[in-house]
Amino acid sequence: MSYGVVGLPSPLYSNGLLPSTNKQGVGVVGLEGTNNTVKPPTDDSFPGFKWRLVIAYDGTRYAGWQFQTSPPTIQCIVEKALIRVTKLEREDLRLVGASRTDTGVHAWGQVAHFITPFSYDGLESIHAALNGLLPPDIRVREISAAVPEFHARFSAKSKIYHYKIYNDAVMDPFQRHYAYHSVYKLNTTLMRQAAEYFVGKHDFSAFVNVQRNDRLLNPVKSVFRFDVIEMGALLQLEVEGSGFLYRQVRNMVALLLQIGKEAIPPDIVPKILATQDRKELAKYALSAPPHGLCLVEVKYNEEHLRLPAACPLSSFGRHHSVRKCKLPFY
């Protein structure tokens, strides 16, 4: 099945070229700056068309987003579906995700992009084909054409994560995969006071676990908001920032849990931040479990989300309809 493929050249881009990338499909970049800008790639120009995906997944069964063959990851599963639909090799697709979510972490608004050497005259068929091949705990919510300048990871302006805590004596079994159970009655007033200390531009070295080789090394990040919302027994901690270090959100949540238990005061937060030492945080809290964390949204500037000229319409899925009842009336 061709899924509406049209041959090159195409009016999707005026010159039929994407900006250059390195062999891994990632632009040449340095550390995140204060304005979140990224140097554009400059080598190995190649013909191609860029496509943006919005993906939701239940991370319970997966070893995070980043590609590895065993145990399976979200990127691995999505790439296999893309390979079957596009008939391209993994190296040609150059799939990149906005956030490298860890083992057991969920997502509602993960963003990724991939590249093809051909365009499409419609995206609904490829959208349906991808979801038909993916397991039921991974779904492509949206697929659209992207401008050459768009990069799922490096174009991101901010990211929003939610961490859910079920605060009751007995755990709701329907929340067990998506919320951390706290049997201690948490003081949400103290948690809100403490969360405010995280807001602003800080060096978060004290809240990052040992970094992997492929992680950005700049520990200075901006947190725009950190809200503690009560929904009955369920607490939802919502944090938005320019970016987050490895396990930073889970480490911040872990400290807020200790403060909510009234084991330590809220003003411990700026004191730990000032040390820039992960060992200082370890005196008070360990990382919160991953299953309560969800990547909800990745935000971009409008110029990165604009659609290229003469591109196919974005696909948000399609509804089926029944023209005639196939069951007799009784």
Side-chain angles (χ1 to χ4, degrees):
M1 187 177 294
S2 64
Y3 303 110
V5 174
V6 296
L8 288 173
S10 164
L12 186 56
Y13 308 136
S14 59
N15 60 359
L17 297 177
L18 284 174
S20 55
T21 59
N22 61 22
K23 297 300 183 182
Q24 285 73 38
V26 178
V28 179
V29 296
L31 298 180
E32 288 184 17
T34 55
N35 57 0
N36 253 4
T37 57
V38 177
K39 294 180 179 179
T42 56
D43 58 354
D44 285 347
S45 291
F46 60 94
F49 300 84
K50 188 174 283 188
W51 310 95
R52 179 172 55 248
L53 302 172
V54 179
I55 307 170
Y57 49 83
D58 179 335
T60 304
R61 299 192 304 124
Y62 301 100
W65 165 267
Q66 193 69 5
F67 180 86
Q68 63 184 62
T69 55
S70 181
T73 65
I74 306 297
Q75 183 177 358
C76 178
I77 301 298
V78 172
E79 281 183 345
K80 286 181 179 179
L82 282 169
I83 289 168
R84 290 187 60 182
V85 169
T86 64
K87 311 302 182 186
L88 297 172
E89 298 298 324
R90 176 174 182 264
E91 294 76 14
D92 300 322
L93 290 167
R94 305 183 183 217
L95 180 69
V96 177
S99 180
R100 302 176 183 183
T101 54
D102 294 320
T103 299
V105 175
H106 315 293
W108 172 249
Q110 172 73 284
V111 177
H113 76 256
F114 69 96
I115 293 164
T116 61
F118 45 74
S119 184
Y120 291 93
D121 56 13
L123 295 176
E124 283 193 343
S125 293
I126 184 176
H127 192 171
L130 284 173
N131 281 337
L133 291 168
L134 290 169
D137 51 4
I138 304 175
R139 277 293 172 266
V140 174
R141 294 174 48 215
E142 177 185 343
I143 179 170
S144 59
V147 293
E149 298 80 17
F150 175 80
H151 191 285
R153 183 180 178 193
F154 296 120
S155 297
K157 183 175 66 173
S158 70
K159 297 173 184 176
I160 299 175
Y161 283 89
H162 289 181
Y163 194 96
K164 293 184 179 181
I165 303 166
Y166 196 79
N167 192 199
D168 201 359
V170 179
M171 180 62 179
D172 180 347
F174 297 103
Q175 297 283 349
R176 71 189 188 281
H177 293 310
Y178 313 106
Y180 168 71
H181 182 208
S182 174
V183 295
Y184 296 93
K185 186 63 178 175
L186 299 174
N187 186 325
T188 55
T189 300
L190 294 180
M191 293 175 73
R192 290 189 184 95
Q193 292 175 13
E196 283 299 312
Y197 286 114
F198 287 118
V199 177
K201 187 176 181 181
H202 304 287
D203 184 320
F204 283 96
S205 296
F207 289 84
V208 60
N209 281 28
V210 176
Q211 295 179 336
R212 302 172 181 177
N213 292 333
D214 59 352
R215 299 280 176 166
L216 294 178
L217 299 178
N218 185 7
V220 178
K221 303 293 177 185
S222 294
V223 172
F224 305 134
R225 65 181 179 94
F226 203 148
D227 302 323
V228 178
I229 300 172
E230 295 181 77
M231 300 179 289
L234 193 66
L235 294 183
Q236 185 162 283
L237 278 57
E238 302 183 2
V239 57
E240 179 177 1
S242 60
F244 298 96
L245 299 166
Y246 182 44
R247 293 195 180 177
Q248 178 187 336
V249 175
R250 289 165 56 189
N251 287 332
M252 293 190 297
V253 168
L255 189 62
L256 291 183
L257 281 167
Q258 292 299 101
I259 293 168
K261 294 174 186 177
E262 302 182 5
I264 48 179
D267 62 4
I268 196 71
V269 174
K271 295 176 183 177
I272 294 176
L273 280 170
T275 68
Q276 300 179 16
D277 186 355
R278 177 66 178 84
K279 293 179 181 178
E280 189 65 23
L281 174 64
K283 296 177 182 178
Y284 304 96
L286 301 175
S287 291
H291 67 279
L293 187 61
C294 181
L295 173 62
V296 174
E297 184 179 357
V298 183
K299 293 185 177 181
Y300 299 90
N301 292 323
E302 288 300 319
E303 60 265 25
H304 286 135
L305 293 180
R306 73 183 189 277
L307 296 176
C311 69
L313 295 175
S314 300
S315 174
F316 301 91
R318 60 186 175 191
H319 292 282
H320 294 276
S321 60
V322 177
R323 296 180 181 275
K324 183 178 179 182
C325 184
K326 296 181 180 180
L327 296 177
F329 290 102
Y330 293 98

